[in-house]
Amino acid sequence: MAQGLKKTVALVGMMGAGKTAVGKALAARLGVPFLDSDGEIEKAAAMSIAEIFERYGEPFFRRRETEVIARLLEDERAILSTGGGAFLSEANRALISERGVSVWLKADLDLLWNRVKHKSTRPLLRSDDPRATLAAFVEAREPLYAQAAIVVEAEPRLSVEAMAEKVIGALRAHGGILVEEEET
């Protein structure tokens, strides 16, 4: 049974893929901290991501995001939930690869749309046709997400806990990430 991590696991993927929910369940199951890069950015800025986008723009936000991810990867072994656009940055992909391991929570468009369509906290979906915007993001981002070290397919029928177990199975199969009970 897994009892911890040898390196930080960075969950990457689209908004609505389950990075936060699955990440919290995964961290609890492994007995490690849960970190959220968007949450850390909001704390540091004392405003929401939507407010940061509105006030300073996306390029400013992306620079802060890289700084925060670098800091979070230095601190401790944890589950790190990254924002949907974080893994698009070559610098962020390199940081995660050097200091941790990336896990893409891959979800199809219908599942993503069902999870985000009623949320007003997604500044990039504030458009005339948010579903089409989301579809365009999926198409553009999937080739970059596919560079993740591990890919775990999200399944609508699975509970958050079952998805966390699926990720643990993928981490175990990858090797070199989990601290297993017999090692402690």
Side-chain angles (χ1 to χ4, degrees), residues 22 49 91 114 144:
V22 172
I49 301 298
N114 284 333
L144 295 168

Side-chain angles (χ1 to χ4, degrees), residues 20-152:
T20 300
V22 172
K24 286 178 179 177
L26 196 54
R29 170 77 171 66
L30 296 173
V32 299
F34 172 78
L35 305 171
D36 181 290
S37 62
D38 282 353
E40 292 295 317
I41 293 165
E42 288 178 335
K43 265 197 280 188
M47 63 181 77
S48 71
I49 301 298
E51 289 170 318
I52 296 168
F53 266 71
E54 190 175 309
R55 188 172 296 176
Y56 301 108
E58 186 174 1
F60 173 88
F61 171 79
R62 296 297 174 200
R63 287 191 300 276
R64 300 295 78 79
E65 182 176 56
T66 297
E67 293 167 3
V68 166
I69 288 171
R71 178 177 53 82
L72 295 175
L73 286 167
E74 281 179 9
D75 291 348
E76 55 191 319
R77 304 295 173 254
I79 301 297
L80 171 60
S81 172
T82 64
F87 206 64
L88 306 181
S89 159
E90 188 174 337
N92 292 344
R93 290 193 306 274
L95 281 167
I96 291 167
S97 178
E98 290 166 14
R99 301 179 189 174
V101 64
S102 53
V103 175
W104 176 22
L105 295 184
K106 184 179 181 184
D108 68 29
L109 178 61
D110 289 336
L111 179 58
L112 295 170
W113 179 246
N114 284 333
R115 290 179 176 172
V116 303
K117 64 184 172 187
H118 298 298
K119 296 192 177 181
S120 62
T121 56
R122 310 290 185 173
L124 294 176
L125 292 183
R126 291 182 181 160
S127 69
D128 291 338
D129 187 349
R131 184 182 167 95
T133 301
L134 182 63
F137 282 138
V138 168
E139 185 176 338
R141 292 177 175 190
E142 282 196 345
L144 295 168
Y145 293 147
Q147 295 179 35
I150 299 169
V151 178
V152 179

